[in-house]
Amino acid sequence: MKTIGVVTSGGDAPGMNAAIRAVTRLAYAHGFQVLGFERGWEGLIQNRFRRLDPRSVGGIIQLGGTILLTSRCPEFKTPEGVRKAAQNLAANHVDGLVVIGGDGSFRGALELSRETDTLIVGVPATIDNDVYGTDETVGFDTAVNTAVAEIDKIRDTAVSHERVFVVEVMGRRRGFLALAVGLTVGAEVILVPEAPLNMEEVYKTIRENAAKGKRSGIIVAAEGVGDTRKIARQIEENTGAEVRLSIVGYAQRGGSPTARSRLLASLFAEKAIRLITQGFGNRVVGLQRGEITSISLEESCKNQKQLDTRLLELAKTLAT
Ligand code: ADP
Ligand code: F6P
């Protein structure tokens, strides 16, 4: 019997369960058995897996999180850890491995691909949307909608009290989430790690808005821009506005996946299983200009996805 392994790795994202479900049912439809490795790369190192079948993935498409659990696994950043994982793939005769995760997980997959003949295919699933080779990752749409719903509520109290709110969203290194959320809540200012932090520009925007009678405002900041508590204090000290900080936090990582996140998960899984059944490995599937495509694992890992900073200007104009 041929075997496909599936693993969820790195930061969890809404839609990972939809991807696990689709991988399992599509693999079965192609005559494969499925091993679900638990807790990310740790599961491959420790050879911890559970057998999945079409019934075991029933009723999970709507669930956030991952039934296989996930982890961040420092041991996998060592050659010994990668070697152990490769040995376990061989011991279980795993023909193909679907890795559901983000850019870090794919860097791990690239290391593993050099130690195994197992066909490895990545399904991009992270709320950061920072995987090179896809316009959108599984979970991103859900996280954006979660943050937007929270910030729309914050906007109510900001307007009522004529306050400025600094709202921190996730994104330790990249600003894709902050930019999409900022645009869609009508933020007056959006701060992303990719753009230098110019506090004088922030003060100027707040002062100009107040002069026009717009005394409340929303500043969406990716957590990677720095100490948002300090940023809020500096704005208050330099503009005279009453400023509060609100952190959306880990709610962005959970919740029932949106239809879009479920759709991407299912389409990416279908592409991944198709690649493996056709004998292709070391690929990352993605959505590019409306098409479900794939690029090499190496190309995805060696390149950095660019943020369209022109959208920052668009957001500024739309918020005047
Ligand atoms: P994400 O996949 O969401 O970006 P991480 O960046 O934490 O999450 O990566 C997930 C896991 O992938 C890490 O905990 C580690 O086990 C593995 N990993 C990340 N980068 C590398 C690397 N350069 N080499 C080997 N393994 C890596
Ligand atoms: O990778 C997704 C992410 O949510 C980032 O946006 C965030 O900075 C990070 O994970 C938080 O990591 P952890 O869950 O380990 O605290």
Side-chain angles (χ1 to χ4, degrees):
M1 177 91 166
K2 300 173 294 181
T3 301
I4 279 185
V6 59
V7 63
T8 50
S9 170
D12 63 325
M16 280 187 164
N17 280 325
I20 294 167
R21 169 182 175 274
V23 164
T24 300
R25 290 186 171 173
L26 288 160
Y28 259 76
H30 285 85
F32 286 84
Q33 65 172 344
V34 179
L35 305 184
F37 287 91
E38 298 177 330
R39 298 185 179 82
W41 293 123
E42 186 184 302
L44 275 98
I45 292 173
Q46 296 178 359
N47 202 28
R48 293 173 63 107
F49 59 82
R50 68 180 83 153
R51 294 190 181 286
L52 296 176
D53 63 32
R55 294 283 54 77
S56 48
V57 293
I60 69 169
I61 191 169
Q62 76 281 9
L63 300 181
T66 162
I67 61 168
L68 291 177
L69 310 182
T70 183
S71 73
R72 299 185 194 275
C73 177
E75 186 182 359
F76 202 68
K77 293 187 177 180
T78 68
E80 187 47 40
V82 173
R83 216 174 353 263
K84 280 183 198 167
Q87 287 163 356
N88 287 325
L89 286 175
N92 292 294
H93 308 289
V94 178
D95 302 283
L97 178 68
V98 178
V99 181
I100 302 168
D103 64 316
S105 297
F106 295 163
R107 282 195 295 278
L110 183 61
E111 299 299 325
L112 179 60
S113 69
R114 296 172 175 140
E115 301 288 330
T116 180
D117 295 330
T118 297
L119 301 174
I120 298 175
V121 178
V123 167
T126 169
I127 68 166
D128 287 351
N129 198 28
D130 59 350
V131 172
Y132 184 88
T134 185
D135 297 339
E136 187 174 340
T137 54
V138 172
F140 177 65
D141 181 66
T142 305
V144 168
N145 281 286
T146 297
V148 165
E150 288 306 302
I151 298 172
D152 284 351
K153 297 184 181 82
I154 293 170
R155 173 80 73 179
D156 292 342
T157 182
V159 170
S160 302
H161 281 267
E162 297 184 298
R163 283 170 170 167
V164 171
F165 273 80
V166 174
V167 183
E168 179 187 304
V169 297
M170 284 195 148
R172 187 176 286 157
R173 292 185 294 271
R174 305 306 310 275
F176 295 99
L177 187 57
L179 182 51
V181 170
L183 260 174
T184 48
V185 298
E188 282 68 24
V189 176
I190 304 172
L191 302 176
V192 295
E194 294 87 345
L197 183 58
N198 181 340
M199 290 306 294
E200 288 305 324
E201 188 61 33
V202 175
Y203 304 151
K204 179 168 174 279
T205 301
I206 301 299
R207 289 187 195 115
E208 285 175 351
N209 286 346
K212 289 185 293 189
K214 191 175 183 183
R215 299 171 60 79
S216 70
I218 296 289
I219 297 171
V220 172
E223 61 185 316
V225 300
D227 181 348
T228 48
R229 194 167 302 281
K230 180 181 170 190
I231 289 170
R233 190 175 59 250
Q234 286 174 323
I235 294 169
E236 189 161 71
E237 289 165 358
N238 288 277
T239 64
E242 196 177 1
V243 184
R244 292 290 187 275
L245 170 68
S246 195
I247 298 176
V248 180
Y250 284 83
Q252 296 161 95
R253 283 263 288 276
S256 180
T258 58
R260 178 153 185 90
S261 289
R262 300 179 200 189
L263 178 63
L264 272 189
S266 305
L267 295 177
F268 283 176
E270 194 277 332
K271 179 71 173 178
I273 295 299
R274 186 143 34 97
L275 285 167
I276 290 170
T277 55
Q278 292 171 351
F280 296 103
N282 303 346
R283 306 291 293 176
V284 172
V285 302
L287 175 72
Q288 291 186 312
R289 292 175 295 283
E291 297 289 321
I292 302 294
T293 61
S294 77
I295 64 170
S296 76
L297 192 50
E298 182 138 28
E299 186 184 359
S300 181
C301 293
K302 300 293 185 199
N303 290 281
Q304 188 178 60
K305 184 173 174 179
Q306 290 309 303
L307 184 79
D308 186 354
T309 48
R310 288 172 307 142
L311 296 180
L312 291 170
E313 285 312 308
L314 169 63
K316 194 175 176 65
T317 305
L318 293 178
T320 49

